[in-house]
Amino acid sequence: MISVAATKQGGQRADFSTVRTHNTIAAPGADIMSANSEGGYRPVNGTSPATALAAGVTALMLAENPDLTPAQTRAILMRTAARPPGGHNPLVGAGQINAASGVGAVVNPPKIDTAPRE
């Protein structure tokens, strides 16, 4: 599971974004241009657009390396995020997602043992 917090311009947590100790990463979620039902576009705010952006980065990573496991994908997103001051925190997790760094890191994914433990 990857929990995504929303950020505003500048990378700080958006006021509407939930604060949880399990936030994995953050992504832009304020004033994101979105299609509306009347045709055209309008800015929207929310964790839903932030999650969509994180899913898009994940799709780009998997396009480059389709053999990535879910654990490797999560680790790469966290390792390549723009770290918040003081490190991982409940507001933005490991930090704001960095698409270029995440996609670039898939050529050498971390080795993660996901075998069941007895």
Side-chain angles (χ1 to χ4, degrees):
M1 177 179 88
I2 297 172
S3 176
V4 182
T7 56
K8 58 188 174 184
Q9 200 168 43
Q12 298 86 18
R13 177 189 148 267
D15 296 338
F16 55 80
S17 187
T18 305
V19 177
R20 297 281 187 250
T21 58
H22 60 265
N23 279 337
T24 308
I25 56 167
D31 295 323
I32 305 300
M33 292 306 290
S34 178
N36 67 29
S37 60
E38 295 86 38
Y41 300 90
R42 65 182 175 91
V44 297
N45 298 319
T47 54
S48 293
T51 301
L53 289 169
V57 172
T58 301
L60 291 170
M61 290 167 55
L62 290 169
E64 285 294 313
N65 184 348
D67 295 325
L68 287 176
T69 67
Q72 288 173 317
T73 302
R74 185 177 195 275
I76 290 169
L77 288 171
M78 291 178 70
R79 186 178 72 207
T80 60
R83 297 263 182 251
H88 194 282
N89 68 54
L91 301 177
V92 294
Q96 185 158 284
I97 198 167
N98 183 319
S101 293
V103 172
V106 302
V107 296
N108 188 22
K111 300 202 183 331
I112 300 173
D113 181 9
T114 57
R117 306 277 187 234
E118 292 184 24

